[in-house]
Amino acid sequence: MALSGPQQYPTELLDTTMDQLRTLIVVHEAGTALGAARRLGREQSSVQKQLDTLNRTFAALCGEELVRKQGRGRDALFTATGEALVGLARRTLGEWAEGVHDARRRLGRTLSVGTTRYTLGFLLDAVERVSEDYERENVDLKVTHVRTGDLFTKLRSTELDLVCGSVVVTEGEETELLAPYEVMEWRRSGLSLLTNLPPDRLPGPSLPAHELDRLPLVISARGLIGRFLTAWYGTDYRQKLSIAAEIEAAHYGFELLRSGLVSGAMLVTRGIGEAAADGRLPEAGGLRTLEIVGDVGPRTEVLVGVFTRRGERASYPPGHPLNLLWKALSAENERWWLQS
């Protein structure tokens, strides 16, 4: 009688361990057993023993070894079967790791939170409110820096459970954009300019968006600023504006303007502009702040808040770490409004 289900798996396959699969992957990445041993912190003989075991196992099961020696100083040669099994090993270990992570998250044993640099303070204050609960329940809280452009991607992939950050919302597209997420809205704002241009060249205190084309601009094409410019001027905004410098990080833009290497104006979120004007951003000291009046294109705003996958909080009990942190962040938001 033919067996079905788990009973049909070959004994040799069942004797293969996850540690052996990891070793196979690392040998493939490192090229040699010696290189893999160094990465794994093991003796070369231990790695070679696992390779020999895998070769015997899969030669018996498949008719071909996985790895062949090439001689001293040369990378190991992976057979076609070996290449296929390396890919399968990566998927197998990845799926197991993801399954364990999902189970720990569902049971409240771990919580992965992302934050942008300018929302980290809000998160830290909220974590103080739940720290005793987390310590009592042995919750493993992981905090990760996340770029604005990656916020939704990391939520969709379940890499993060909650994110404190900012997104750009445009009139007519907001509902569809935010539909998959539960949002705790903190505030909305537009853009500001930080400039080293003299007042007679750029008087202020505000500037209509349609006049940006007369200024040498410092911009970050990634993230929020690029999305504003696309909404206002279209995807070819570079041809319509005078771009003096494109930057990856705001701090580099501050240095460019403060050094005088570039004379112009840098587009930033209004929150950053206000922090610079109030002296809360020393790296932008000496730069003037102007408010941008969005008078071109559809209404576009920065929405600052907390984001998580829609429906997930409701599936957990009130004492789940995600719900506790959400409540703490809501309390921090109320405190902020009372103080402002």
Side-chain angles (χ1 to χ4, degrees):
M1 179 177 67
L3 296 176
S4 60
Q7 298 92 334
Q8 68 183 336
Y9 301 144
T11 302
E12 298 90 344
L13 180 62
L14 297 178
D15 288 338
T16 301
T17 67
M18 289 189 177
D19 186 51
Q20 289 173 337
L21 296 182
R22 181 182 68 159
T23 296
L24 183 69
I25 293 169
V26 177
V27 170
H28 188 268
E29 293 174 348
T32 64
L34 177 59
R38 288 171 176 166
R39 292 191 186 186
L40 294 169
R42 295 179 176 175
E43 296 294 329
Q44 181 180 358
S45 59
S46 172
V47 172
Q48 189 59 55
K49 183 177 179 180
Q50 286 189 317
L51 285 181
D52 293 340
T53 299
L54 288 168
N55 272 337
R56 288 194 301 271
T57 296
F58 289 95
L61 288 173
C62 306
E64 183 178 46
E65 293 183 336
L66 305 184
V67 188
R68 293 173 182 157
K69 294 181 181 179
Q70 289 282 84
R72 184 179 297 274
R74 299 179 63 188
D75 286 355
L77 174 65
F78 277 73
T79 64
T81 302
E83 292 285 353
L85 266 293
V86 166
L88 180 59
R90 285 197 177 101
R91 294 192 296 274
T92 299
L93 293 180
E95 289 174 2
W96 268 90
E98 184 177 336
V100 169
H101 175 72
D102 287 345
R104 285 177 56 80
R105 188 180 72 239
R106 175 174 50 81
L107 295 170
R109 295 295 180 264
T110 187
L111 188 69
S112 298
V113 178
T115 174
T116 60
R117 178 173 183 264
Y118 298 104
T119 56
L120 178 59
F122 288 94
L123 176 64
L124 295 179
D125 290 340
V127 168
E128 286 188 11
R129 293 175 177 262
V130 298
S131 58
E132 290 186 5
D133 295 301
Y134 281 15
E135 289 175 8
R136 184 174 58 252
E137 298 300 327
N138 293 317
V139 177
D140 182 14
L141 176 65
K142 301 180 184 297
V143 180
T144 303
H145 173 254
V146 61
R147 291 182 177 275
T148 299
D150 298 330
L151 189 154
F152 287 152
T153 300
K154 291 185 181 293
L155 280 177
R156 286 195 300 269
S157 68
T158 71
E159 182 177 344
L160 296 176
D161 304 309
L162 176 147
V163 176
C164 301
S166 308
V167 296
V168 173
V169 291
T170 302
E171 187 177 16
E173 301 175 3
E174 178 177 343
T175 300
E176 182 178 356
L177 175 69
L178 299 180
Y181 310 102
E182 183 177 5
V183 181
M184 181 195 305
E185 184 174 321
W186 284 345
R187 55 193 167 279
R188 295 184 182 227
S189 66
L191 297 186
S192 294
L193 278 181
L194 293 181
T195 184
N196 60 4
L197 295 173
D200 59 350
R201 170 84 187 276
L202 185 58
S206 63
L207 181 78
H210 77 267
E211 292 188 20
L212 286 173
D213 59 357
R214 67 180 179 85
L215 299 176
L217 296 175
V218 176
I219 65 167
S220 172
R222 296 182 59 185
L224 296 176
I225 303 303
R227 295 181 185 180
F228 263 88
L229 295 178
T230 298
W232 285 347
Y233 291 97
T235 55
D236 60 342
Y237 64 83
R238 287 181 179 83
Q239 282 70 54
K240 300 175 181 177
L241 300 173
S242 176
I243 309 298
E246 285 202 29
I247 58 173
E248 290 290 328
H251 295 288
Y252 187 67
F254 300 152
E255 291 179 12
L256 282 177
L257 293 177
R258 292 184 66 187
S259 69
L261 185 61
V262 172
S263 294
M266 178 179 170
L267 285 163
V268 297
T269 62
R270 190 163 298 160
I272 294 177
E274 291 172 352
D278 295 342
R280 290 180 284 115
L281 201 61
E283 54 266 50
L287 302 176
R288 291 190 302 121
T289 301
L290 287 80
E291 181 179 332
I292 298 293
V293 179
D295 62 346
V296 294
R299 182 177 179 181
T300 303
E301 298 174 304
V302 178
L303 189 162
V304 184
V306 186
F307 306 83
T308 190
R309 289 176 289 277
R310 185 174 295 280
E312 192 157 301
R313 283 201 320 109
S315 69
Y316 297 145
H320 188 280
L322 179 60
N323 283 322
L324 291 177
L325 184 57
W326 185 274
K327 183 178 179 181
L329 285 164
S330 178
E332 281 302 310
N333 184 41
E334 292 179 9
R335 183 174 71 88
W336 186 87
W337 278 109
L338 288 174
Q339 291 178 346
S340 61

